[in-house]
Amino acid sequence: MSESLSPFTKQQLLPQEETLEILKHKRQLYIGVPKETTYQENRICLTPDAVSALVSNGHKVLIESGAGKGARFSDKDYSEAGADISKDTAKVFSCPMVLKVEPPNLEQIKLLNPQSILISALQLKTQDKKYFEALAAKRITALAFEFIRDEDGTYPAVRSLSEIAGTASVLIASELLSNTPSSSGLMFGNISGVPPVEVVILGAGTVGEYAARSAIGLGAGIKVFDNSITKLRRIQANLGRSLFTSTIQPKNLTKALRRCDVVIGAVRGTNRAPVVVSDQMIQYMKKGSVIIDVSIDMGGCFETSEVTSHKQPTFTKHGVVHYCVPNIPARYSRTASISISNIFTPYLMKIAEDGGIENSLRFDKGLKNGLYFYHGILTNKSVGEWFDLKHSDINLLIF
């Protein structure tokens, strides 16, 4: 009798390592987008195209009537994209997930349902302790989109809005050079036989880079100042050309300010923007020259800066036109809304595909970085220390 052969080899009979697949159930999202009520805030988190993409993937979107008006999107645009439109503000805030550009005020937090998800800006410098206590009382899970990190470690929302602010600063300066009564009547542009406009840029970050890119595109001569040699080197590499760059030294800066037509301030600090241009330096500047203080939302980097508004954006001091409007991207509300929507939409799709916010937070470190409240528990150490509030490590709450 022949020896019977086993259908399995010895190796196959030994216990093997096995990777268990984590079962993910796709979750339907119900998203509320209320109308922004903050002064001069015209942006909206989702465009009609984004709403159409979300609805076609089985999600529901409720838009407050008139929410897109400031960004030139009508209720009809959203309705045709598949959104539900409501005039009831409380109904919109009662959705399981609420998207906002500006953080909600205390009255709006009262309208949120317990255990709901809030995605908005945090704007830490403008908040007080009551805001966080109100979110804790409602056991809200909250994410600040300005703290969400991309795969490469950058902050996509901050960078995108900085790109807009940098480009806008040059466009605004160009307009002010020719349109204001006290202007010098100069035009950006390398016109044959006419000396180009001279632009000084303070700060070599994203705002400074895009201001430089736009100014060069319009034919201006530029000088960039920053105390970081790394940033100065990077801006030259990104622009692909050699530029006049310098550290912020009073002698060199004063010399540049005497000759320039436009100064763009894009210097940021930890708690407040450092004042790098004194009142005396501004007195040396040419009459009719223009200052654009992009850093005004952090206090401003010019000693003469005072907060202005989109309705009355400028004032003149020492013969120099000052533009000191916070939130410059809101001036270009449609472009800014599309930019924000492009950042929000992939994250919303991913949260749904992962089966909910908890699973997304487990596997996406960048998204987790934007979390500052989890079911009413403060998870951001900086917020806790700033406002003297008890906080917990999110890694101990999500396994």
Side-chain angles (χ1 to χ4, degrees):
M1 185 175 176
S2 61
E3 185 180 349
S4 61
L5 298 175
S6 170
F8 300 102
T9 65
K10 184 179 179 181
Q11 184 67 26
Q12 288 174 324
L13 291 170
L14 291 173
Q16 302 291 309
E17 288 185 1
E18 183 180 3
T19 302
L20 295 175
E21 182 182 354
I22 297 173
L23 184 63
K24 295 179 182 178
H25 295 284
K26 184 176 177 181
R27 180 169 293 184
Q28 183 190 49
L29 303 179
Y30 192 5
I31 304 162
V33 182
K35 185 177 180 179
E36 298 293 334
T37 57
T38 307
Y39 181 59
Q40 295 187 339
E41 182 53 78
N42 297 315
R43 295 170 294 177
I44 186 170
C45 291
L46 295 177
T47 63
D49 286 343
V51 169
S52 179
L54 288 165
V55 171
S56 64
N57 277 270
H59 307 300
K60 292 183 179 180
V61 181
L62 180 63
I63 306 277
E64 185 176 355
S65 180
K69 185 178 179 181
R72 313 300 190 271
F73 296 120
S74 67
D75 288 349
K76 184 181 178 184
D77 293 333
Y78 283 107
S79 181
E80 290 177 347
D84 294 322
I85 311 296
S86 175
K87 292 184 178 181
D88 187 349
T89 304
K91 184 179 179 182
V92 178
F93 272 100
S94 68
C95 291
M97 178 181 285
V98 174
L99 299 187
K100 282 185 96 285
V101 178
E102 297 284 331
N105 57 38
L106 294 178
E107 291 303 313
Q108 291 170 335
I109 291 174
K110 291 178 181 177
L111 300 176
L112 293 171
N113 274 341
Q115 300 282 10
S116 58
I117 298 168
L118 169 68
I119 305 177
S120 71
L122 173 56
Q123 297 177 351
L124 184 59
K125 303 293 188 299
T126 65
Q127 297 301 351
D128 57 25
K129 201 170 184 177
K130 290 181 180 178
Y131 173 81
F132 300 102
E133 290 172 344
L135 290 178
K138 282 288 183 86
R139 305 190 302 284
I140 300 296
T141 296
L143 291 106
F145 64 71
E146 69 262 46
F147 294 135
I148 294 174
R149 279 186 177 151
D150 225 332
E151 295 87 356
D152 58 358
T154 59
Y155 298 90
V158 174
R159 180 170 178 83
S160 183
L161 295 174
S162 295
E163 290 173 3
I164 295 172
T167 304
S169 63
V170 172
L171 298 177
I172 294 165
S174 176
E175 186 181 331
L176 293 176
L177 274 180
S178 61
N179 278 354
T180 55
S182 57
S183 69
S184 55
L186 294 172
M187 183 182 79
F188 270 76
N190 198 358
I191 308 303
S192 300
V194 180
V197 168
E198 292 287 333
V199 179
V200 169
I201 299 171
L202 307 175
T206 304
V207 174
E209 179 188 330
Y210 276 77
R213 195 184 297 273
S214 300
I216 290 168
L218 290 173
I222 66 168
K223 295 179 179 179
V224 183
F225 289 81
D226 197 298
N227 278 333
S228 170
I229 300 297
T230 302
K231 286 184 178 180
L232 292 174
R233 189 177 292 119
R234 187 189 302 138
I235 196 172
Q236 292 197 90
N238 289 349
L239 295 176
R241 62 171 68 199
S242 295
L243 307 170
F244 176 102
T245 58
S246 173
T247 53
I248 302 175
Q249 299 175 8
K251 186 178 179 180
N252 289 342
L253 183 55
T254 302
K255 186 178 178 181
L257 291 173
R258 284 176 183 269
R259 298 186 58 181
C260 77
D261 303 292
V262 175
V263 191
I264 296 170
V267 182
R268 304 190 74 80
T270 306
N271 297 321
R272 191 202 186 283
V275 176
V276 296
V277 179
S278 66
D279 186 286
Q280 188 175 11
M281 288 180 178
I282 290 169
Q283 292 181 43
Y284 292 141
M285 291 177 66
K286 292 187 288 189
K287 305 300 179 188
S289 54
V290 173
I291 284 174
I292 310 289
D293 195 348
V294 185
S295 301
I296 192 66
D297 62 337
M298 291 191 74
C301 59
F302 300 88
E303 190 177 355
T304 51
S305 288
E306 297 173 11
V307 176
T308 58
S309 67
H310 286 295
K311 286 188 176 180
Q312 294 183 323
T314 64
F315 65 91
T316 302
K317 192 165 187 178
H318 303 313
V320 179
V321 179
H322 291 61
Y323 183 97
C324 305
V325 180
N327 193 11
I328 287 176
R331 178 185 173 112
Y332 303 90
S333 54
R334 191 179 179 101
T335 297
S337 295
I338 294 170
S339 181
I340 293 170
S341 182
N342 289 342
I343 295 165
F344 266 120
T345 309
Y347 277 111
L348 294 172
M349 295 287 198
K350 189 175 186 303
I351 288 169
E353 288 292 335
D354 289 344
I357 191 75
E358 283 81 7
N359 284 336
S360 288
L361 292 170
R362 282 190 186 96
F363 302 111
D364 190 331
K365 291 181 180 179
L367 188 67
K368 190 190 293 183
N369 196 69
L371 186 77
Y372 63 99
F373 258 101
Y374 182 72
H375 295 297
I377 300 170
L378 183 65
T379 59
N380 187 296
K381 184 179 178 182
S382 299
V383 173
E385 292 177 350
W386 187 278
F387 293 99
D388 192 25
L389 293 166
K390 185 180 178 182
H391 60 277
S392 299
D393 188 340
I394 184 58
N395 296 307
L396 300 176
L397 302 175
I398 298 177
F399 301 98

